[in-house]
Amino acid sequence: CSREMKFCELLKHLSKCPKMEVSCELKCGKRLCRENMAQHLKQECGLVVETCRLGCGVEMTRDELKIHVTETCVHRFIPCEHCKKDFKFCDMTHHLDKCPKMEVSCELKCGVVMCREDVTQHVEQDCVEKEIECPFVKYKCEAISIQRKHLSQHLEEKRTEHLELKLTAMELKLNAMEDTVFKQCEGSNEIKQHIDESKQYRDESKQHRDESKQHVEESKQHRDESKQHVDESKQHVDESKQYRDESKQDMGEINQHRRYMDN
């Protein structure tokens, strides 16, 4: 420090001289002026023991903490591989149980894999294992619970029954409307006449519908019978052809025998 002093005081001064170069008192290997030791220990020395700044409570040297906070601390932040958002390492398992971007299998085990956020829409609109009700339940179809994969077959098999249920429901609704109108306009012969005519027309329509249905069944029966007749005719033609071939063969033999006799 270049200060002048008595020789007898020099040794005592050197033990405290702020400008004297000394080694780090924690033995990190660095040499520095004694006056800079406090700052070195506070900010630089890697052997100073500190508590993890991420809040896990671990105490270790500053050099060890540099590795700890990036690689081993349970409170360090890491990105989710699915949604790419950052979460604490200790919270990642809980997040993965709910991550909307994580791929999962359909909860009804239909085999489809999708993002968790799409599961609800898939189950409600597309999943073939989902139990749904027939669209004709409102017309009193009894299929109130049927798997979506079987709905097409059900609609095909029950097409006629569904139409009849719908027509019946429409007739009931029409009857109710007519009764309401009749009560509101009770005493009007003209309106009553129109209602009676409407009922008669509806009854005739129902009769025609039943007759049409019967005609369809009869036409189907006639078509089957016609097919049977065609098959029988085809069989007769085949038999005639066989008989003609046999006759042709017999005539050939007769002609051959006749030529032999003539010779």
Side-chain angles (χ1 to χ4, degrees), residues 169-187:
M170 293 174 66
E171 289 173 356
L172 292 174
K173 185 176 181 180
L174 182 58
N175 287 338
M177 293 174 63
E178 289 176 349
D179 290 341
T180 301
V181 172
F182 180 77
K183 289 179 180 179
Q184 293 175 350
C185 303
E186 189 174 5

Side-chain angles (χ1 to χ4, degrees), residues 246-261:
E246 291 176 353
S247 298
K248 185 176 180 181
Q249 182 178 358
D250 292 340
M251 286 299 296
E253 293 176 354
I254 292 172
N255 291 333
Q256 183 179 2
H257 180 69
R258 186 178 295 166
R259 286 193 299 271
Y260 176 77
M261 293 298 294

Side-chain angles (χ1 to χ4, degrees), residues 100-256:
K101 298 297 183 181
M102 184 176 180
E103 288 193 343
V104 295
S105 298
C106 172
E107 60 190 31
L108 297 182
K109 304 187 188 319
C110 72
V112 175
V113 177
M114 74 215 82
C115 291
R116 183 179 278 113
E117 64 183 356
D118 297 328
V119 170
T120 300
Q121 180 179 352
H122 163 75
V123 170
E124 292 300 323
Q125 299 182 8
D126 304 315
C127 181
V128 296
E129 300 294 337
K130 170 72 174 176
E131 294 282 344
I132 59 176
E133 66 177 26
C134 172
F136 287 88
V137 163
K138 59 184 178 181
Y139 300 118
K140 297 188 178 179
C141 174
E142 296 180 354
I144 60 175
S145 181
I146 182 173
Q147 286 183 312
R148 184 177 276 118
K149 63 184 178 182
H150 295 147
L151 181 60
S152 297
Q153 180 181 355
H154 168 74
L155 293 176
E156 182 65 27
E157 293 175 350
K158 302 293 183 179
R159 178 180 297 177
T160 302
E161 294 180 23
H162 286 160
L163 292 176
E164 291 177 350
L165 288 172
K166 187 174 181 179
L167 288 173
T168 300
M170 293 174 66
E171 289 173 356
L172 292 174
K173 185 176 181 180
L174 182 58
N175 287 338
M177 293 174 63
E178 289 176 349
D179 290 341
T180 301
V181 172
F182 180 77
K183 289 179 180 179
Q184 293 175 350
C185 303
E186 189 174 5
S188 175
N189 293 330
E190 184 177 354
I191 293 178
K192 184 178 180 181
Q193 182 181 355
H194 288 325
I195 292 176
D196 292 338
E197 291 176 354
S198 178
K199 288 182 178 180
Q200 181 181 357
Y201 176 75
R202 187 172 64 255
D203 293 338
E204 291 176 354
S205 297
K206 183 177 180 181
Q207 182 180 356
H208 291 159
R209 187 172 66 252
D210 294 338
E211 291 176 354
S212 297
K213 185 177 179 180
Q214 182 179 357
H215 292 159
V216 169
E217 296 295 335
E218 292 176 353
S219 297
K220 184 177 179 181
Q221 182 178 356
H222 292 160
R223 186 168 63 251
D224 294 339
E225 292 176 353
S226 298
K227 184 177 179 181
Q228 182 179 358
H229 293 159
V230 170
D231 293 338
E232 292 176 353
S233 298
K234 185 176 180 181
Q235 182 179 357
H236 292 158
V237 170
D238 293 337
E239 291 176 353
S240 298
K241 183 177 179 181
Q242 181 180 359
Y243 176 75
R244 186 170 63 252
D245 292 339
E246 291 176 353
S247 298
K248 185 176 180 181
Q249 182 178 358
D250 292 340
M251 286 299 296
E253 293 176 354
I254 292 172
N255 291 333
Q256 183 179 2

Side-chain angles (χ1 to χ4, degrees), residues 41 51 59 89 103 168:
L41 293 176
T51 302
E59 292 184 351
F89 179 83
E103 288 193 343
T168 300

Side-chain angles (χ1 to χ4, degrees), residues 37-134:
M37 182 65 67
Q39 182 179 359
H40 166 70
L41 293 176
K42 182 178 180 180
Q43 298 180 358
E44 301 174 0
C45 182
L47 297 182
V48 173
V49 175
E50 294 181 342
T51 302
C52 175
R53 58 183 172 80
L54 298 182
C56 71
V58 171
E59 292 184 351
M60 55 183 66
T61 64
R62 189 176 282 145
D63 286 343
E64 292 172 333
L65 279 174
K66 291 179 181 179
I67 300 174
H68 168 75
V69 296
T70 58
E71 298 182 9
T72 61
C73 181
V74 295
H75 286 185
R76 72 187 187 277
F77 282 86
I78 57 175
C80 172
E81 61 180 333
H82 305 290
C83 67
K84 310 307 179 184
K85 294 181 179 180
D86 290 337
F87 294 90
K88 288 183 178 181
F89 179 83
C90 57
D91 296 333
M92 183 58 71
T93 300
H94 177 69
H95 166 71
L96 290 177
D97 290 337
K98 298 181 178 180
C99 179
K101 298 297 183 181
M102 184 176 180
E103 288 193 343
V104 295
S105 298
C106 172
E107 60 190 31
L108 297 182
K109 304 187 188 319
C110 72
V112 175
V113 177
M114 74 215 82
C115 291
R116 183 179 278 113
E117 64 183 356
D118 297 328
V119 170
T120 300
Q121 180 179 352
H122 163 75
V123 170
E124 292 300 323
Q125 299 182 8
D126 304 315
C127 181
V128 296
E129 300 294 337
K130 170 72 174 176
E131 294 282 344
I132 59 176
E133 66 177 26
C134 172

